[in-house]
Amino acid sequence: MFEFIFLGTSASAPSVHRGLSANIVSFRDYRFLIDCGEGTQRQILRSGVGFRRLNRILITHGHLDHILGLAGLLSTFARWEAVDQLQIWASPWALDRIHDLLFGVVLRGARPPVQVDLIPIEAGTILEDPDLRLEAFPVRHRGKGTFGFAFEQTAHRPFLTERAAELNLPEGPIRRELASGRPVQLPDGTEIQPDQVLGPPRRGARLVHVGDCGSTKGLQEPCSEADGLVIEATYLESDAELARNFGHLTARQAAELAAESGVGHLYLTHISRRYRESQIRDEAQEVFPNVTVARDFDRFRIRRSGAEIDHIEVED
Ligand SMILES: [Zn+2]
Ligand SMILES: [Zn+2]
């Protein structure tokens, strides 16, 4: 299960209700910040999440509404010592700009307060461990070097408790051994193989994040069977020409991608101030029913079979 927190859901400039792009993905001990628009550090504080372990930052692309917050975040880390190392993953083009921002403007020759690693992204797997695989894939948007991110929990074999009960297996270490794929010997000498109590492999939860995006061409494969798809919907169809000119999607295009890709639930973000939230939702729902237009501080749990929605109350 993944937890996804929207910290900023506005396109291009902040509004009274929406901050600039930033999101947190949590999975077990991992925490990823995706994009870091201006004002992100305050959004992190307001969300109640805090800075701890927030040392992996994935940047979709180098436009200013997605990176300016890195400057403030780094200066705060200098004082708060919340992390001792910061990894920033982005395309080489975006990293160039981020390098200028952090080392040129913020640090101006001073030593970074924490180790800062700028890591160039190429399409493919960028992180893999026994529980999680993270892949980057190219996205079309204005300018160069835009990436989407697919998080996938590794497939696992469920432990069949009814079978264990039939075999009179006591709760505790014996069941744990079998669940981790190791055979056990019972006190009476009977050997039990993991296959006797494990079901067929089930794929894990899949969460796909696409930031700014000018065309959905080629995204059906990376988005396929996503339990949750987070993607921009900056415009409505009535302004499709503006969307094309600025390299953004309409709500309808985002919904079509979700329908074509067999997505579980669609979360729309990067919302323009020119529309009401209901207009974006209605347009998308004509094509794809399971749609949420995200608001700042919305939190969602993405499970294999779908998602649960919880809102965090924020005091002003
Ligand atoms: Zn943007
Ligand atoms: Zn952009």
Side-chain angles (χ1 to χ4, degrees):
M1 181 188 82
F2 295 99
E3 187 178 51
F4 194 96
I5 307 174
F6 287 91
L7 296 177
T9 56
S10 183
S12 313
S15 70
V16 174
H17 299 291
R18 297 180 185 273
L20 290 174
S21 289
N23 314 279
I24 290 176
V25 174
S26 301
F27 175 76
R28 305 216 173 136
D29 285 342
Y30 285 107
R31 284 164 102 199
F32 300 90
L33 180 65
I34 305 183
D35 285 342
C36 190
E38 177 198 335
T40 295
Q41 53 175 331
R42 182 143 191 275
Q43 299 292 84
I44 294 172
L45 291 173
R46 288 186 67 193
S47 75
V49 173
F51 297 118
R52 234 168 50 81
R53 286 191 283 119
L54 205 55
N55 59 348
R56 290 185 179 85
I57 304 181
L58 307 171
I59 300 290
T60 56
H61 67 301
H63 287 161
L64 293 179
D65 58 323
H66 297 254
I67 65 165
L68 276 181
L70 289 169
L73 203 62
L74 184 67
S75 356
T76 298
F77 280 171
R79 268 165 282 136
W80 287 22
E81 298 172 357
V83 300
D84 48 17
Q85 182 228 14
L86 199 58
Q87 293 178 350
I88 303 174
W89 302 71
S91 71
W93 189 89
L95 281 186
D96 232 27
R97 201 172 200 183
I98 291 166
H99 184 275
D100 287 353
L101 176 65
L102 299 184
F103 291 88
V105 176
V106 177
L107 296 166
R108 305 186 81 207
R111 251 188 78 209
V114 296
Q115 186 187 326
V116 180
D117 295 328
L118 302 182
I119 306 170
I121 297 181
E122 283 176 30
T125 303
I126 59 177
L127 187 150
E128 190 161 25
D129 83 1
D131 298 322
L132 173 70
R133 191 168 73 229
L134 169 57
E135 294 209 342
F137 56 89
V139 171
R140 293 159 194 242
H141 179 48
R142 251 177 321 125
K144 283 194 275 181
T146 300
F147 283 99
F149 302 106
F151 299 80
E152 191 168 316
Q153 196 180 356
T154 310
H156 78 287
R157 298 180 65 186
F159 188 83
L160 307 172
T161 40
E162 336 65 83
R163 290 265 190 83
E166 281 162 27
L167 293 163
N168 295 321
L169 300 179
E171 306 224 355
I174 286 182
R175 290 193 184 198
R176 276 200 296 277
E177 281 292 290
L178 288 163
S180 24
R182 288 182 290 270
V184 295
Q185 198 168 36
L186 301 181
D188 68 1
T190 322
E191 184 136 311
I192 307 284
Q193 294 299 325
D195 280 347
Q196 293 175 260
V197 289
L198 296 182
R202 285 162 52 129
R203 73 164 180 86
R206 186 168 158 76
L207 163 66
V208 178
H209 177 279
V210 177
D212 291 11
C213 176
S215 160
T216 58
K217 206 165 164 219
L219 294 184
Q220 289 74 9
E221 203 252 301
C223 295
S224 87
E225 308 288 312
D227 301 293
L229 169 63
V230 177
I231 191 165
E232 72 132 294
T234 311
Y235 290 98
L236 289 177
E237 272 300 304
S238 49
D239 292 318
E241 202 180 319
L242 279 178
R244 228 182 352 266
N245 293 344
F246 290 106
H248 287 295
L249 295 182
T250 66
R252 184 182 184 89
Q253 289 172 318
E256 283 168 352
L257 172 66
E260 290 156 9
S261 310
V263 161
H265 200 98
L266 174 66
Y267 302 92
L268 299 176
T269 185
H270 206 267
I271 305 301
S272 164
R273 279 177 295 173
R274 71 184 72 210
Y275 310 117
R276 286 195 310 277
E277 197 178 285
S278 58
Q279 293 177 284
I280 301 275
R281 186 179 48 246
D282 292 350
E283 181 172 296
Q285 271 179 338
E286 282 174 22
V287 178
F288 186 81
N290 306 327
V291 180
T292 300
V293 180
R295 295 177 178 177
D296 288 14
F297 308 112
D298 274 352
R299 263 174 202 241
F300 302 96
R301 295 199 179 98
I302 314 292
R303 295 199 164 86
R304 199 181 70 91
S305 50
E308 270 180 18
I309 298 172
D310 275 333
H311 288 277
I312 316 175
E313 296 297 324
V314 178
E315 282 177 29
D316 277 308

